[in-house]
Amino acid sequence: MPQQARQPVPIVFDASLDSIDQVLALGLLYGFDGKRLSRIISITVNRNDLKTAAFADIIGRFYAGEIGNETGYRNAFNVGMYEGGPTAATPALLEAALSKPQYRRGISKLTDTADPVALIRNALSAMNDDTSAVVVAGSPTNLLNVVQNPDGKVWARRKPRVLIIAAGRFDHGDDPSLRPHADAYRKLLAEWPGNVVFVGSEVGDAAPFPASSIESDFKWAPNHPIVDVYRANHSMPYDASTRTMAAVLYAAQSDQPYFKLSPSGRVSIGDDGSTRFEATPTGKHRYLILESEQKDRVIKTYTQATSTQ
């Protein structure tokens, strides 16, 4: 009997896109989608910033490719955006791509975006049980709003096999980027009904995205939004930490030996951004571990998929 082909993993991606790591992760996600290693089912921005949503749209349209006319694309996903609270400032690194007229976009006003809760809920409801993965980086507000909705919590319980949180640190120290969201993540851990895997800063630091890839692997495109943002983020050459990329890689290919997992346990989050792990057989939380012998393979996967044509 012939072996059944591996089905692409459906992925919900929710991010603030205010760091180069998250921008690279979005490119990696579209690279995997193009290679049919995963399937994007929802893209949402967890900051109230229309220009960040427009950037997510630019990336989606760029990786999807044009079909040869002024307005058509082979595949352009709706982008959901959190609308609550005050308007957030646009991350400076995104302006390098937003300012270029070469990149087509479909978001210029609020009505061009989708409601993130409805987008995530509807995406999950259409999936088979226990097949998809949810990746979050930045504020967990959108996911909190999903699970605080009665039918949203039902879909969160049934549909994803795992929630992957790009936050925390599990070797030593704390995660400064987690501090503003510590209380929200504590609420999410209390509300989320399924399994959770954390990706700590130490994983991203151990397998940085090489500047040499930016210089060489993306040359096929005279203008590339990932390259523009990477160069704008810091003086070249530099290697960027890749925590959210690791979250996407695990979401898409958890069946491959890129990472190891900690034992089952519970993660508690301090107000200072610290993450404490307590092993217990009944716990639903784990965290990723990258061993040194897998570093080169992980980095090669990052660069090949993100620079895909």
Side-chain angles (χ1 to χ4, degrees):
M1 190 177 219
Q3 187 174 5
Q4 188 174 7
R6 179 188 184 276
Q7 295 299 308
V9 177
I11 295 178
V12 167
F13 184 78
D14 182 72
S16 55
L17 296 178
D18 56 357
S19 69
I20 188 59
D21 167 38
Q22 294 181 41
V23 171
L24 287 166
L26 186 57
L28 179 66
L29 184 63
Y30 276 104
F32 282 157
D33 189 270
K35 294 175 180 290
R36 299 191 61 77
L37 295 173
S38 66
R39 180 160 64 92
I40 300 169
I41 59 172
S42 174
I43 298 287
T44 49
V45 173
N46 51 49
R47 303 171 69 254
N48 184 2
D49 176 37
L50 193 62
K51 292 177 78 173
T52 298
F55 174 79
D57 180 65
I58 285 172
I59 294 294
R61 292 176 183 274
F62 181 87
Y63 276 88
E66 303 176 20
I67 62 172
N69 61 45
E70 198 63 26
T71 59
Y73 294 87
R74 175 172 55 83
N75 191 12
F77 294 97
N78 288 331
V79 175
M81 187 189 78
Y82 173 68
E83 297 178 33
T87 302
T90 303
L93 75 166
L94 304 187
E95 295 288 359
L98 289 164
S99 63
K100 276 196 169 183
Q102 292 93 330
Y103 302 133
R104 307 262 180 90
R105 65 206 72 191
I107 294 177
S108 60
K109 56 187 183 299
L110 185 60
T111 53
D112 295 328
T113 67
D115 173 64
V117 174
L119 199 63
I120 294 171
R121 186 183 62 204
N122 293 344
L124 290 175
S125 68
M127 298 299 104
N128 292 328
D129 289 358
D130 199 34
T131 57
S132 57
V134 178
V135 175
V136 61
S139 169
T141 302
N142 286 335
L143 293 185
L144 266 177
N145 289 337
V146 169
V147 296
Q148 288 170 356
N149 184 300
D151 68 332
K153 193 162 189 174
V154 170
W155 300 132
R157 179 184 300 110
R158 288 177 49 192
K159 303 300 181 175
R161 58 175 175 76
V162 65
L163 165 64
I164 307 166
I165 299 175
R169 190 168 193 105
F170 296 91
D171 56 353
H172 58 79
D174 56 16
D175 174 12
S177 68
L178 183 55
R179 291 174 194 165
H181 313 300
D183 187 53
Y185 271 111
R186 283 194 288 263
K187 290 178 182 177
L188 181 64
L189 292 181
E191 293 280 345
W192 190 261
N195 296 319
V196 178
V197 170
F198 279 82
V199 186
S201 299
E202 72 280 1
V203 173
D205 293 346
F209 195 93
S212 58
S213 175
I214 294 293
E215 302 285 12
S216 59
D217 297 336
F218 296 77
K219 284 184 175 180
W220 61 268
N223 293 282
H224 198 301
I226 297 291
V227 172
D228 292 337
V229 172
Y230 196 101
R231 291 182 181 279
N233 182 62
H234 201 279
S235 298
M236 292 287 284
Y238 73 98
D239 297 342
S241 188
T242 58
R243 173 169 58 186
T244 313
M245 295 190 88
V248 168
L249 176 55
Y250 179 73
Q253 299 192 65
S254 63
D255 57 339
Q256 298 298 310
Y258 288 106
F259 306 101
K260 286 191 173 181
L261 282 173
S262 74
S264 298
R266 296 189 184 94
V267 171
S268 57
I269 300 171
D271 290 337
D272 59 354
S274 61
T275 43
R276 181 174 176 268
F277 178 79
E278 180 184 0
T280 172
T282 59
K284 291 185 176 182
H285 305 161
R286 304 175 85 175
Y287 62 88
L288 286 193
I289 300 167
L290 174 61
E291 298 193 330
S292 56
E293 60 265 27
Q294 290 288 27
K295 171 184 172 180
D296 290 345
R297 183 186 180 205
V298 166
I299 293 174
K300 184 177 180 181
T301 301
Y302 289 162
T303 58
Q304 288 183 341
T306 309
S307 65
T308 189
Q309 297 188 38

